[in-house]
Amino acid sequence: MKILLILLVLFTTSGMIAETRYVSDTLTIFLRSGPTHQYRIVGNLESGEAVEVIADDTTNNATQVRLSTGREVWVDTEQLITNKPSKLLLKEATAKLKQLENSSNQQLSDMQQKLVEAKKLASLSQELQKQVTQLNYDKELLEQKNNILNDRSRYDLLTAGGVVALVGLFVGLLLPKLLSRRRKDVWR
């Protein structure tokens, strides 16, 4: 009868898909070599440790599990939970929070550095704008001076042309009179 019961348990549990369970939060549970309390204790587990379920013995309210070391032992089913225990969740949440704080601190530092760079660029932009304004003013002054010089050059050319014309006229009128007096003096 016992052999038939063991074979029945083995056949019904062999098709089960292995699921992960955790030792509940506030316990240290005993590991046994068999499904009942008559089997000897072979170790213990702290709460939060993950185990892989191999088989369930509903008649003895025991579960056969595989430890992270690969060792297979039995524990009381009521001492296992399917969700992660709060101690483990708290540890994970704390690690995630620390990671997010580090990330946000890095982002804040990056933003502050970019703000400093933006202020430098704004200052440089203002300085360059002042230089452009000054250069435009200088350009207008130079254009005005150039126009004045061009006008003066034309006036100087016109004046020089007038002087040359007057000198030419004067020479043209006086020279024939001076030459004609000499000729008269030569032939007499």
Side-chain angles (χ1 to χ4, degrees), residues 25-45:
D25 284 330
T26 57
L27 297 175
T28 299
I29 64 171
F30 296 113
L31 307 174
R32 299 188 181 276
S33 59
T36 65
H37 287 274
Q38 284 77 29
Y39 288 90
R40 71 181 174 94
I41 296 174
V42 293
N44 61 8
L45 283 177

Side-chain angles (χ1 to χ4, degrees), residues 50-63:
V51 294
E52 182 182 335
V53 174
I54 298 172
D56 278 325
D57 182 355
T58 55
T59 57
N60 292 314
N61 200 23
T63 303

Side-chain angles (χ1 to χ4, degrees), residues 162-175:
V163 169
V164 167
L166 282 176
V167 168
L169 182 64
F170 182 69
V171 169
L173 290 176
L174 287 179
L175 192 60

Side-chain angles (χ1 to χ4, degrees), residues 3 5 15 18 24 26 31 35 41 43 73 101 106 110 114 121 131 135 139 148 155 164-165 175 179 184-185:
I3 296 175
L5 183 60
S24 61
T26 57
L31 307 174
I41 296 174
V73 293
E101 284 176 351
Q106 180 63 37
D110 291 345
K114 287 180 182 178
L121 287 175
Q131 289 178 4
L135 288 173
K139 177 186 154 218
I148 290 171
Y155 177 75
V164 167
L175 192 60
L179 288 178
K184 289 182 184 176
D185 289 338

Side-chain angles (χ1 to χ4, degrees), residues 141-175:
L141 281 177
L142 288 174
E143 285 176 351
Q144 287 176 356
K145 286 180 181 180
N146 191 24
N147 288 338
I148 290 171
L149 287 175
N150 283 338
D151 289 346
R152 185 173 289 163
S153 174
R154 285 186 199 127
Y155 177 75
D156 290 345
L157 286 175
L158 186 61
T159 304
V163 169
V164 167
L166 282 176
V167 168
L169 182 64
F170 182 69
V171 169
L173 290 176
L174 287 179
L175 192 60

